[in-house]
Amino acid sequence: MLAMRYAVRLAPDRDANWIESRVATRKPSFDTLPGLYHRACLYDPADNIYAAFFIWADLRAMRQYLATDLFQEVVATFGRPRVRCWSLLHFSHGTKDCKPTFAMWEQDKV
């Protein structure tokens, strides 16, 4: 399994409402992607940054997504983001009824 994340700084005229609308519109396209276990969309209002976080079954599934029109729309809208990925040893999640209220990531100082 792989975790993958990319983040983009939004234009000043784009805010949480714009991102929520975009995410809702595109959600059905992600529901059928082969090898996608989990997708989360993150928004930092302080810096106006949008990030997408994915858990993929394997490298092949992740690469297939990066070659889709769905990802090319990201590139066309925001420019090509830096895509980061990590190997996972384990992944589990709660029920669909659980709505997260925040997410956090930390960068290594190395």
Side-chain angles (χ1 to χ4, degrees), residues 82-97:
R82 180 177 177 182
V83 176
R84 296 175 177 240
C85 63
W86 304 267
S87 295
L88 297 178
L89 297 176
H90 178 74
F91 167 72
S92 64
H93 56 79
T95 67
K96 290 184 178 186
D97 298 334

Side-chain angles (χ1 to χ4, degrees), residues 31-108:
D31 290 345
T32 58
L33 282 178
L36 178 60
Y37 289 156
H38 181 74
R39 173 178 168 248
C41 300
L42 315 169
Y43 176 65
D44 175 1
D47 292 323
N48 208 27
I49 294 174
Y50 163 74
F53 179 79
F54 303 84
I55 304 292
W56 295 101
D58 53 36
L59 182 60
R60 183 172 185 249
M62 184 183 82
R63 284 184 174 170
Q64 284 178 334
Y65 165 67
L66 294 173
T68 64
D69 289 342
L70 201 53
F71 183 71
Q72 293 313 307
E73 287 179 34
V74 172
V75 175
T77 303
F78 303 110
R80 182 165 300 278
R82 180 177 177 182
V83 176
R84 296 175 177 240
C85 63
W86 304 267
S87 295
L88 297 178
L89 297 176
H90 178 74
F91 167 72
S92 64
H93 56 79
T95 67
K96 290 184 178 186
D97 298 334
C98 175
K99 183 175 181 178
T101 57
F102 73 94
M104 183 176 93
W105 72 77
E106 296 181 21
Q107 298 222 155
D108 292 337

Side-chain angles (χ1 to χ4, degrees), residues 1 5-6 9-10 13 24 35 40 69 76 85 93-94 103 108:
M1 283 184 292
R5 180 185 64 85
Y6 55 82
R9 186 171 307 277
L10 300 175
D13 63 332
D69 289 342
C85 63
H93 56 79
D108 292 337

